[in-house]
Amino acid sequence: MRSRTAARMLTVLCLFMGLGLVGVHAQEAGSGAASPEPPGPTVNAADTCWVLASTALVLFMTPGLALFYGGLVRAKNVLSTMMHSFAAMMVVSLVWVLWGYSLAFGEDLFGGVVGGFDHLFLKDVSWDTPRSDLGVTIPHLLFCMYQAMFAIITPALISGAFAERMKFSSFAVFLVLWSTLVYSPIAHWVWHPSGWLAGLGVQDFAGGTVVHISSGIAALAAALVLGKRKGYPHTPMIPHSMPWCALGAGILWFGWFGFNGGSALASNGLAVVAFSNTHIAAAAAALAWFSAEWILRGKGTMLGLATGAVAGLVGITPAAGFVTPISAIFVGGITSLVCYFFVSKKESFGYDDSLDAFGVHGVGGTTGAILTGVFAYQPLGLALFLNGEISKGTLIMRQVLGAGVTILYAFVASLILLKVVDALMGLRVSPDAEDSGLDVDQHGEGGYTF
Amino acid sequence: MKLIAAVIRPNKIEELKAALSDIGIQGLTVTEVRGHGRQKGHKEIFRGKEYAVDLLPKVRIELALPDSKVDSVVSAIEKASRTGEVGDGKIFIMNLEDCIRIRTGERGDEAL
């Protein structure tokens, strides 16, 4: 028994050391110092400083999400729910540096479909010179790490749809597959300079399509494949900690300054616009949801305010660098109300999207993508209007196309991945484990001990 | 008059409330408690150290009833709470000397 444990530990250790050796060689080969200086932008200290700070801000959103989701479940499932977010920090970070970044931002293959293997194991990702094809002035490695934080939070957002019933082992496998086969390709289509949606003029400032539509639609697929929680909707499944939710939403709001403001990839006026729009949209959206509740149900709630703020932040994400700060009020407010009406009707749709991952991120992301076209302000969004060559109508049609393609791919691919994992290892815990709670059953820990 | 105290599985409380309201029982008191009978507990692990958790979460319900209703209530509790596995809980039935409704000062069966 003891020797078996020792053998297992040795295997894990060897795995890490093996990865380390390959990684060191790949990096040595890619060190920028040996190659001749390529013509192109050089590193700017102020830009690097802001994107470094933004990278940390975006990472902080994932523990914020863990608190937001953790507060919404019952006390017996708080750790297993928070674990979904923290596991993404643990697993997707490594997937990203080993192969995910290369699939998303490696040299384009097949006319904009996916990145090649040229940046596997961070090969040719320089820490002191910028990428030459993005026109940015931050080190390539910083761009890679900033993008890693988006790759981390995206699958964590999906977990709201299958909270309180998914097996951790299956979640971990799904996490690796989804990040590799859904997130990286969609990021490539929209954000790589040669991506096919980018080539069609689809614009997504900070991830409305890549992050929120993709995760929200995957959440819908997950809710449909996993089925309802035991007892839903007859047994009341009341959130166990509103204070956790409020704190989590506050952290998300704070981190979103890095998510949107940092997406300028520079310390400049565009970053200031995106930063301001983020804040204004969140406030307007919180007010819209809170007021809708107050008017329609008689009282405004903490959870309503928090959910509204998150919906508005989702809505402004694709638009953050393309609309004026006053338009941000409308982008936030409209997205919030669309999500409010959708979420309040969800029981009649018959699926159990437990924490409204689809209702907020799928619906809000799609609304925001379209509103980006509606409210885009030409002097800010020159790239959007292709220097004035296209009209607003064409712009809106392109945004609808981008959202539509992402919805279709994310839904079909997520459905297939979930079915495959289900066939191989099963997706759900046993009904007994669902009764007693996933924390003790899956992790051997309880969230609260008296 | 009898006082019924039943300790049941926490996830059975909604079924039990529905079963009691079906037979016209309006008032009950519910407490979240911990305990165990023959059911074994589980292990929790914190930083590699195992802790035996043998006091399991249970729900305790209390009802004061006139003698005439005791049988129907007991069978409703049994039916709603039984899974057939160890850990379904117990029902305790006690004689109740008196009962007073504080608002009106009524006593005995009238106060139930």
Side-chain angles (χ1 to χ4, degrees):
Chain A
M1 193 66 192
R2 181 159 295 174
S3 67
R4 231 172 102 189
T5 314
R8 277 185 193 166
M9 287 184 69
L10 206 64
T11 315
V12 173
L13 208 66
C14 288
L15 190 71
F16 271 97
M17 285 171 62
L19 283 178
L21 285 175
V22 178
V24 165
H25 284 296
Q27 281 241 306
E28 274 172 3
S31 161
S35 55
E37 189 72 24
T42 50
V43 168
N44 174 290
D47 294 342
T48 302
C49 185
W50 168 234
V51 179
L52 274 170
S54 292
T55 305
L57 281 169
V58 182
L59 175 78
F60 196 41
M61 289 169 70
T62 302
L65 184 72
L67 281 175
F68 187 58
Y69 280 173
L72 285 174
V73 297
R74 290 164 289 174
K76 62 186 180 180
N77 296 321
V78 60
L79 292 180
S80 59
T81 302
M82 295 180 80
M83 189 74 89
H84 289 151
S85 295
F86 277 84
M89 288 159 70
M90 166 170 82
V91 173
V92 178
S93 301
L94 299 177
V95 166
W96 190 250
V97 298
L98 296 180
W99 64 79
Y101 177 71
S102 196
L103 293 180
F105 290 99
E107 198 177 339
D108 183 58
L109 292 179
F110 317 118
V113 175
V114 72
F117 296 139
D118 49 323
H119 292 312
L120 277 190
F121 291 70
L122 298 184
K123 186 171 176 293
D124 291 332
V125 177
S126 162
W127 56 84
D128 54 4
T129 51
R131 264 180 87 113
S132 54
D133 59 347
L134 290 174
V136 295
T137 55
I138 59 168
H140 191 174
L141 181 59
L142 175 56
F143 176 74
C144 170
M145 290 318 290
Y146 182 62
Q147 289 295 337
M149 305 311 165
F150 289 68
I152 290 166
I153 196 167
T154 308
L157 290 168
I158 308 172
S159 69
F162 48 67
E164 305 197 285
R165 58 198 184 283
M166 190 166 185
K167 224 162 58 167
F168 182 78
S169 54
S170 310
F171 169 72
V173 171
F174 173 71
L175 196 57
V176 174
L177 293 175
W178 195 87
S179 184
T180 306
L181 299 172
V182 182
Y183 183 81
S184 283
I186 294 178
H188 183 84
W189 300 351
V190 179
W191 281 341
H192 192 282
S194 312
W196 74 277
L197 286 179
L200 290 175
V202 173
Q203 286 288 330
D204 179 6
F205 189 76
T209 302
V210 177
V211 174
H212 297 290
I213 296 182
S214 71
S215 63
I217 297 300
L220 177 63
L224 292 172
V225 174
L226 268 96
K228 299 166 194 175
R229 284 168 291 177
K230 195 180 166 192
Y232 180 88
H234 305 296
T235 310
M237 297 178 177
I238 299 169
H240 90 282
S241 173
M242 271 306 109
W244 280 153
C245 284
L247 183 58
I251 292 173
L252 283 169
W253 188 330
F254 175 72
W256 229 293
F257 289 125
F259 199 91
N260 291 353
S263 286
L265 296 172
S267 184
N268 59 13
L270 186 60
V272 173
V273 169
F275 189 110
S276 309
N277 285 346
T278 302
H279 187 64
I280 293 165
L287 182 65
W289 193 299
F290 189 85
S291 308
E293 276 187 333
W294 205 345
I295 293 163
L296 298 172
R297 306 201 169 178
K299 281 173 185 163
T301 65
M302 181 73 244
L303 183 57
L305 194 163
T307 311
V310 173
L313 289 161
V314 169
I316 198 65
T317 296
F322 301 132
V323 302
T324 64
I326 294 302
S327 295
I329 296 175
F330 296 100
V331 174
I334 294 169
T335 307
S336 176
L337 292 177
V338 171
C339 292
Y340 175 83
F341 287 107
F342 202 86
V343 168
S344 58
K345 293 271 172 286
K346 81 165 168 175
E347 281 197 4
S348 58
F349 299 134
Y351 56 81
D352 179 13
D353 174 12
S354 314
L355 316 180
D356 296 314
F358 172 64
V360 172
H361 297 277
V363 173
T366 308
T367 309
I370 296 165
L371 292 180
T372 301
V374 174
F375 287 99
Y377 174 61
Q378 195 157 348
L380 268 172
L382 274 182
L384 213 65
F385 291 93
L386 299 177
N387 295 314
E389 282 167 28
I390 64 166
S391 68
K392 194 145 230 180
T394 318
L395 184 64
I396 295 170
M397 285 316 295
R398 283 182 179 169
Q399 292 302 101
V400 172
L401 172 78
V405 166
T406 309
I407 288 170
L408 197 68
Y409 179 71
F411 187 77
V412 173
S414 304
L415 208 63
I416 293 171
L417 291 183
L418 286 160
K419 289 281 188 195
V420 167
V421 177
D422 194 17
L424 290 176
M425 52 202 297
L427 291 171
R428 284 184 78 129
V429 298
S430 70
D432 280 351
E434 231 182 297
D435 280 337
S436 59
L438 273 68
D439 290 2
V440 170
D441 183 73
Q442 295 288 298
H443 304 292
E445 274 175 311
Y448 307 95
T449 307
F450 301 94
Chain B
M1 282 184 296
K2 297 277 191 242
L3 180 68
I4 295 186
V7 178
I8 62 163
R9 294 180 190 273
N11 57 308
K12 287 289 179 186
I13 184 67
E14 293 303 322
E15 266 174 75
L16 178 56
K17 271 161 58 190
L20 289 175
S21 97
D22 284 348
I23 56 168
I25 301 296
Q26 290 168 340
L28 80 163
T29 307
V30 178
T31 328
E32 289 184 41
V33 295
R34 293 195 168 237
H36 71 93
R38 288 186 196 158
Q39 191 182 12
K40 285 203 189 102
H42 56 257
K43 289 206 168 65
E44 294 192 15
I45 309 161
F46 295 93
R47 291 226 172 114
K49 189 165 162 43
E50 281 190 7
Y51 298 84
V53 178
D54 50 8
L55 294 176
L56 300 169
K58 296 284 169 189
V59 163
R60 177 185 160 103
I61 63 161
E62 286 166 290
L63 297 137
L65 297 168
D67 291 336
S68 61
K69 287 190 180 168
V70 169
D71 287 344
S72 62
V73 167
V74 166
S75 67
I77 297 175
E78 274 186 277
K79 205 171 151 211
S81 312
R82 181 176 292 149
T83 68
E85 302 290 320
V86 177
D88 277 350
K90 285 200 171 61
I91 303 172
F92 307 109
I93 305 170
M94 290 156 273
N95 284 320
L96 187 59
E97 256 173 43
D98 204 354
C99 173
I100 301 157
R101 176 172 283 127
I102 294 173
R103 175 169 56 85
T104 57
E106 288 162 288
R107 282 181 170 257
D109 278 358
E110 284 170 33
L112 291 175

